[in-house]
Amino acid sequence: MGKVKIGLLQFFSITLLFELGTSLVVNLGMASGRDAWLSILIGCMAGLLMFWGYAYLYRKHPEMPFTAYARKLLGPVIGTPVALMYIILYMNLSGRGLRDGSTMLAMATMHNTPLFILSMLMILSSSYVLHKGTEVLTRTSLVFTMIVLMIGLFSMVLLMLSGSINLLQLLPVLGDGLWPVIDSVVRQNYMFPFGEMVVFTMLMPYLSDMRKGPWVIAAAMLASALLLSATIALNISVLGADIAERSPLPLMPTISKISISDFIQRVDIFVVMVLIIGVFFKMSVFFTAALIGISELFNLPYRRMLYPCSLIILFTSMLDARSFTEHLDEGARLLYTVYPVFMIVIPVILIIITAVRSYFSAPRPG
Amino acid sequence: MNSRRQTLRSKSKEQGLPGSETGTPGLTGSLDEDIRNIRIALGGSPDLKVRKIQAGKEYPLQAAAVHISGLADATAVNEFVIGSLLSDPSGQQPDDTGSPEPFPAWLIQRVLELGSAEVTVEWNDLLLAVLSGDTAVLADGYLSAVICDTRGGEARSVEESSSQMVVRGPKDGFVESVATNISLIRRRIKSPKLRLEYTKIGTETQTHVAMLYMKEIAGEDLVDEARRRLNKISIDEVLESGFIEELIQDKTFTPFPTIYNSERPDVAAGNLLEGRVVIIVDGTPFVLILPAVFTQFFQSAEDYSQRFDIAILMRIVRYVSFIVLLLGPSVYIALTTYHYEMIPTTLLINLLSQRETVPFPAFVEALLMEGAFEILREAGVRMPRVIGQTVSVVGALILGSAVVEAGIITPIMVIVIALTGIASFAIPAYNMAIAGRIIRFAFLLLGAMFGFYGITLGLILLVAHMNSLRSFGIPYLSPFVPLSVKGQKDTILRLPLWLMGRGKTAAQLREEQPEYKRVTTGHEAGLAPLIRDNAAAGRSEEKVEFHEEE
């Protein structure tokens, strides 16, 4: 492990793209109405707390991915099934991301192309990039972070120029009290997208700088939270809480409000591009985490399981639900029931074991 | 270098030179037999000229000068080899024992009026020298021959390079002779740090390959790696630097060039000073420059002759044209096929009314036009100049108006394709433009099948592919990925020279900063001598002296 070292800037950009991923486009935290932007920020705080735990585990085991130290700490009998479950989780998350992406794409522009074809193209591209290695994925993310940020800036300026932003729509802040915000955070926002940072426990061994690394990733989480929050606030201030809440992809109608002298209009294709880029990187990060886990657990070369895995992910994405509604419903329930086990319970157990072990082993040499 | 030469020699001995398969043991000592052996080895070729001479007055000796006409410089052979042998300026001196001094030593030390001559006893060296244009002088009773450097013959003179034009800048270009090319570079860099290494590659062609680099500026690893890769080459023939390029580049399957080539000595010199390695191959005016990153292919020698703001503008135009080349037709197809809501309504109506008469889908239209354009371009490149006009006239007629009038292609498609075609010419490096032309077809397909979804994924794949490329260990997209702020000085931007400190590390730059100021802001009265005094560091002092000596 850890032969390839990935620079901090690359880690920053891959974290940013991973977090923005699909969440930039979907109606995130809309359970809390016009205060959704607030629930994102609070969710991020919870996410940062969780990430602090992951970073602790990384600092204690800087050369190992999650699956390796899980086996080391829990012993092979319990550790191996746990590691295996994480690999399955990552593949499932990758498949779900793929389904999210291709369905949203089909809703947004590609109305007549079969879902399977869209997903296949995406997973093939992802396989190609991962075939070139994790380092290539992170480097590529650097370029596309720039592109996404440029698109964001561009759309922001255009929206301002076309005079569609009405900040009054955001008022009153906390009009319904704090409870809807807390509810939304608990149900969704601490997990999605910030709890998914658990996947970085697989990637962090590649960090080139052990001390600064976790800080950079945390900074990227914070930056992405601010961007997400700003985007949602933008959606609400342009569309109003009511429409934003109902729309499955609120960023699309927001951007389509842009109209400058009848020439620049309907630039929502940029949103689609952001969606594609985000989904691609989100899915690829889960995919590469699963591959790292497999290669570490079964001691296989990284590339050998690439194509079998891509097939599994493709079919997971196709078969996990009969319709998008079912898929979303399933996702909401998983978010509430299954994911906390992987993202909080098991890491917390590992943290406790590590802390106890280092507490008892530390004084011995001294 | 010396040991390398020896290994090369021993290698050529084992493999044998052309004509030496007969197993000729070497020089026999008998003049007639040696000459016969040479004739046999070269297959009795009629251009092999053997001139027998009686050399020496006091101790006359049968000798022969052997050369190949056309390869050797006739004047040098006649006047300085044969002429000086016959005129016999000073006789052979007897040594202590009373016997005359050895013939080869006498020849080299007293007779030959040539800059370079050496003794050899190796049969293969002798043959190779004669085949390279040298004159071999053999003497009866001696087991060694004197090789006189008389290489010459007809060669193209230095002219303006035809592939990389500039409006302002030096007009000389490399030629086919490796010696002339090295001199063109040396004339620009009069520094003792400029190092030159020779090797011969090609078991049949025995082509001279020269590697140049600046010691202390070029990385040691890079030079070693380049040398190692050159030594690893095992090939029969090297006819162009492309052969070497293909054999030493990083092994990846890619349309992108990872080694830069240039016909311009100023470009080569500039790259040497930036710490790159230049490889010159005999017989071609195109030298190889490595390592090469993506941004290098968008630079032109002229960027440094023009004002920096203008240079930046020109570079931006080049990058934009590369993007147009890659994405022009595919974006047009994606827009008209999938995302027509993005086109302003009036334009869309106009477009659709045009498309009404055209029987093909936009993709087929684009493919037809692109195909026609590629055919025209290929025809135009290979055409004899006299009929080149015809191609352009016919091409312009076909592409310009006939297809539209015939109702095969919409006028807008003609505009798009023409723009793409022109854009491909705006890229300074021909091989990069070709890469763009190939990839354009992939994007065309993706755009036609999946609209912007395909194009976006294609872009991700393209960037990932370029990120996976390396040229001699340097990431292809550097200094963008991995991002280096210092490296941005000469990429899309071209900062003014005094801000740039070309290609030096930060430490070197700090050390030499006074010199840069001296060079670039010398017009600020009083500043220049002051800094020269301050920069009393040994190196800059030496440099000044060196210039004065020149």
Side-chain angles (χ1 to χ4, degrees):
Chain A
M1 264 300 114
K3 269 173 283 169
V4 188
K5 287 294 176 197
I6 296 170
L8 296 180
L9 200 61
Q10 274 102 296
F11 251 98
F12 184 90
S13 63
I14 191 87
T15 312
L16 201 68
L17 274 189
F18 174 79
E19 289 290 337
L20 295 182
T22 40
S23 16
L24 197 63
V25 187
V26 299
N27 55 353
L28 200 61
M30 275 303 167
S32 48
R34 67 170 66 84
D35 297 325
W37 58 276
L38 207 59
S39 63
I40 293 291
L41 290 181
I42 297 172
C44 174
M45 293 306 137
L48 281 174
L49 195 69
M50 288 194 292
F51 181 73
W52 179 80
Y54 306 146
Y56 174 79
L57 283 173
Y58 163 67
R59 286 230 165 95
K60 291 288 173 190
H61 316 275
E63 294 297 315
M64 286 184 219
F66 188 87
T67 51
Y69 55 72
R71 274 187 303 153
K72 187 183 151 204
L73 294 174
L74 298 171
V77 181
I78 312 174
T80 309
V82 167
L84 204 58
M85 268 153 62
Y86 267 94
I87 292 166
I88 294 169
L89 171 79
Y90 294 141
M91 288 214 270
N92 182 35
L93 280 172
S94 185
R96 290 190 64 81
L98 185 58
R99 177 66 177 260
D100 277 338
S102 42
T103 314
M104 284 190 270
L105 206 61
M107 289 196 305
T109 62
M110 311 293 288
H111 310 290
N112 299 322
T113 316
L115 208 55
F116 185 72
I117 302 290
L118 292 178
S119 306
M120 197 170 67
L121 196 65
M122 181 77 92
I123 194 83
L124 278 178
S125 318
S126 182
S127 308
Y128 174 81
V129 175
L130 292 187
H131 180 82
K132 296 282 181 192
T134 310
E135 199 192 8
V136 169
L137 177 73
T138 54
R139 284 187 178 181
T140 309
S141 78
L142 188 61
V143 175
F144 284 93
T145 305
M146 299 293 167
I147 293 179
V148 166
L149 292 181
M150 262 157 59
I151 290 177
L153 196 72
F154 178 70
S155 328
M156 194 75 140
V157 169
L158 287 186
L159 270 177
M160 275 185 215
L161 290 180
S162 40
S164 319
I165 301 179
N166 179 10
L167 288 176
L168 291 178
Q169 305 252 37
L170 285 172
L171 298 175
V173 178
L174 293 180
D176 302 324
L178 202 58
W179 184 243
V181 176
I182 301 290
D183 187 52
S184 158
V185 169
V186 169
R187 280 191 165 273
Q188 190 185 31
N189 294 130
Y190 80 103
M191 267 305 143
F192 180 79
F194 301 106
E196 288 173 340
M197 286 303 292
V198 73
V199 74
F200 276 78
T201 54
M202 302 299 287
L203 295 177
M204 278 199 283
Y206 292 112
L207 267 173
S208 65
D209 188 332
M210 192 191 128
R211 276 186 326 106
K212 283 190 205 149
W215 289 108
V216 168
I217 297 178
M221 283 175 73
L222 201 62
S224 61
L226 292 175
L227 283 174
L228 279 177
S229 177
T231 310
I232 287 165
L234 188 75
N235 288 342
I236 296 169
S237 61
V238 171
L239 300 174
D242 199 35
I243 300 178
E245 212 169 320
R246 275 164 229 273
S247 164
L249 306 171
L251 197 57
M252 295 278 290
T254 306
I255 296 296
S256 56
K257 294 277 181 204
I258 291 175
S259 173
I260 290 175
S261 64
D262 282 344
F263 175 68
I264 301 176
Q265 51 184 1
R266 302 296 309 254
V267 286
D268 31 349
I269 197 66
F270 287 129
V271 178
V272 176
M273 276 183 85
V274 169
L275 175 71
I276 297 164
I277 294 169
V279 167
F280 179 87
F281 282 99
K282 185 152 204 163
M283 197 202 76
S284 299
V285 169
F286 284 129
F287 191 178
T288 191
L291 282 176
I292 292 169
I294 290 173
S295 82
E296 189 275 327
L297 187 61
F298 299 105
N299 212 1
L300 281 172
Y302 171 83
R303 288 196 176 84
R304 188 174 295 169
M305 290 308 287
L306 187 67
Y307 293 102
C309 268
S310 65
L311 263 184
I312 293 172
I313 291 171
L314 181 59
F315 282 98
T316 311
S317 87
M318 293 314 294
L319 300 176
D320 85 331
R322 276 161 293 183
S323 70
F324 193 55
T325 324
E326 190 185 338
H327 171 83
L328 287 181
D329 185 49
E330 214 173 64
R333 266 185 293 135
L334 283 175
L335 215 55
Y336 202 50
T337 53
V338 178
Y339 294 165
V341 177
F342 288 97
M343 291 164 190
I344 299 175
V345 178
I346 295 175
V348 163
I349 293 172
L350 292 182
I351 288 169
I352 292 170
I353 295 176
T354 312
V356 169
R357 273 199 182 182
S358 61
Y359 180 77
F360 281 114
S361 64
R364 249 175 251 157
Chain B
M1 193 62 208
N2 216 358
S3 64
R4 266 164 29 73
R5 249 198 192 167
Q6 255 141 31
T7 54
L8 249 159
R9 259 181 204 168
S10 60
K11 202 164 73 180
S12 68
K13 216 189 301 172
E14 283 157 28
Q15 291 166 349
L17 276 170
S20 66
E21 307 92 295
T22 43
T24 326
L27 290 163
T28 56
S30 153
L31 186 64
D32 290 339
E33 203 159 320
D34 284 342
I35 289 172
R36 209 179 60 235
N37 281 341
I38 294 176
R39 280 199 201 281
I40 291 170
L42 298 184
S45 179
D47 57 353
L48 180 78
K49 305 293 179 201
V50 178
R51 171 79 156 83
K52 288 195 180 170
I53 310 161
Q54 184 141 19
K57 265 178 202 154
E58 285 156 60
Y59 306 94
L61 192 63
Q62 276 300 119
V66 181
H67 75 278
I68 291 182
S69 66
L71 281 182
D73 181 9
T75 329
V77 175
N78 294 344
E79 285 182 19
F80 303 124
V81 180
I82 299 170
S84 49
L85 269 171
L86 289 177
S87 68
D88 191 13
S90 57
Q92 275 163 291
Q93 306 288 324
D95 64 0
D96 301 343
T97 56
S99 51
E101 65 176 319
F103 175 75
W106 169 71
L107 209 59
I108 288 175
Q109 285 169 13
R110 287 189 228 272
V111 179
L112 289 174
E113 297 169 5
L114 281 166
S116 160
E118 57 181 24
V119 182
T120 183
V121 291
E122 292 284 341
W123 176 252
N124 283 332
D125 284 355
L126 172 70
L127 278 187
L128 184 57
V130 171
L131 285 170
S132 311
D134 288 339
T135 304
V137 180
L138 301 146
D140 199 23
Y142 282 94
L143 283 171
S144 52
V146 177
I147 308 292
C148 316
D149 185 2
T150 55
R151 291 178 195 192
E154 290 306 310
R156 194 165 63 96
S157 61
V158 176
E159 309 165 354
E160 187 175 358
S161 88
S162 55
S163 64
Q164 290 165 312
M165 307 280 237
V166 291
V167 176
R168 176 182 166 184
K171 299 276 183 185
D172 53 347
F174 284 128
V175 293
E176 281 76 6
S177 150
V178 67
T180 315
N181 291 350
I182 292 169
S183 73
L184 286 175
I185 293 179
R186 271 211 191 273
R187 232 170 263 167
R188 287 181 164 78
I189 308 175
K190 298 180 194 68
S191 161
K193 279 193 232 159
L194 180 64
R195 294 298 146 89
L196 169 67
E197 291 179 11
Y198 258 125
T199 183
K200 281 194 189 114
I201 298 176
T203 46
E204 300 290 336
T205 55
Q206 296 287 328
T207 310
H208 272 290
V209 175
M211 180 171 96
L212 283 97
Y213 60 92
M214 296 292 287
K215 201 170 168 56
E216 290 166 34
I217 297 178
E220 200 78 19
D221 308 349
L222 171 67
V223 176
D224 287 345
E225 180 64 23
R227 194 183 291 137
R228 197 179 63 75
R229 290 193 191 177
L230 278 178
N231 278 342
K232 252 176 49 189
I233 295 177
S234 160
I235 188 177
D236 285 345
E237 45 177 5
V238 177
L239 299 176
E240 215 275 324
S241 51
F243 288 65
I244 303 281
E245 177 178 347
E246 214 170 311
L247 292 168
I248 63 172
Q249 69 190 354
D250 297 55
K251 295 269 176 291
T252 30
F253 189 72
T254 176
F256 287 103
T258 52
I259 291 177
Y260 191 73
N261 66 63
S262 176
E263 220 183 336
R264 300 184 57 85
D266 52 331
V267 171
N271 278 295
L272 278 172
L273 291 168
E274 284 173 11
R276 296 200 182 82
V277 172
V278 170
I279 293 175
I280 305 178
V281 178
D282 200 19
T284 175
F286 290 94
V287 305
L288 304 179
I289 296 169
L290 53 97
V293 295
F294 182 65
T295 53
Q296 220 173 322
F297 294 90
F298 293 87
Q299 297 173 359
S300 158
E302 205 181 334
D303 295 353
Y304 306 97
S305 316
Q306 300 290 357
R307 288 180 50 81
F308 79 95
D309 38 6
I310 294 164
I312 292 175
L313 182 71
M314 293 195 296
R315 280 194 183 168
I316 290 175
V317 168
R318 289 179 209 141
Y319 283 100
V320 168
S321 38
F322 190 65
I323 294 170
V324 168
L325 168 63
L326 281 184
L327 299 180
S330 50
V331 165
Y332 172 74
I333 289 175
L335 278 179
T336 50
T337 324
Y338 291 95
H339 314 284
Y340 34 76
E341 73 273 7
M342 278 187 73
I343 305 173
T345 320
T346 39
L347 181 61
L348 187 64
I349 293 168
N350 191 355
L351 253 177
L352 287 179
S353 68
Q354 281 179 23
R355 285 205 51 79
E356 216 168 340
T357 53
V358 174
F360 305 115
F363 173 63
V364 176
E365 249 186 287
L367 214 56
L368 280 175
M369 279 307 273
E370 290 284 11
F373 194 83
E374 291 294 322
I375 291 171
L376 270 174
R377 175 164 20 203
E378 191 57 23
V381 171
R382 315 263 167 253
M383 272 270 174
R385 287 219 177 106
V386 201
I387 24 179
Q389 291 281 328
T390 328
V391 175
S392 44
V393 169
V394 172
L397 277 181
I398 292 176
L399 286 182
S401 55
V403 277
V404 175
E405 276 165 29
I408 303 175
I409 311 283
T410 54
I412 292 210
M413 185 56 93
V414 175
I415 296 172
V416 170
I417 300 294
L419 192 65
T420 316
I422 298 296
S424 77
F425 294 119
I427 299 155
Y430 183 64
N431 42 7
M432 184 54 82
I434 295 179
R437 276 158 58 188
I438 294 173
I439 297 165
R440 179 185 53 170
F441 281 103
F443 273 107
L444 206 61
L445 199 66
L446 281 173
M449 285 172 73
F450 300 104
F452 268 105
Y453 175 54
I455 292 173
T456 313
L457 278 186
L459 278 176
I460 293 177
L461 290 185
L462 182 69
V463 173
H465 174 74
M466 286 165 77
N467 268 320
S468 73
L469 292 181
R470 276 165 192 277
S471 172
F472 284 77
I474 310 287
Y476 197 54
L477 281 185
S478 65
F480 298 121
V481 188
L483 189 70
S484 137
V485 178
K486 280 200 199 86
Q488 301 297 331
K489 286 171 182 167
D490 193 14
T491 50
I492 292 183
L493 301 181
R494 201 286 267 169
L495 295 187
L497 282 174
W498 54 274
L499 262 174
M500 200 149 62
R502 303 182 41 147
K504 308 230 160 151
T505 63
Q508 282 172 319
L509 193 65
R510 217 172 300 130
E511 196 184 306
E512 293 183 7
Q513 197 64 33
E515 259 188 279
Y516 274 94
K517 277 190 185 152
R518 192 189 80 211
V519 171
T520 54
T521 58
H523 59 278
E524 291 172 36
L527 187 64
L530 187 78
I531 286 172
R532 192 182 289 175
D533 290 344
N534 287 348
R539 196 130 57 96
S540 60
E541 279 289 316
E542 274 170 26
K543 265 192 180 167
V544 172
E545 278 172 25
F546 182 74
H547 278 290
E548 279 161 9
E549 270 176 25
E550 283 290 313

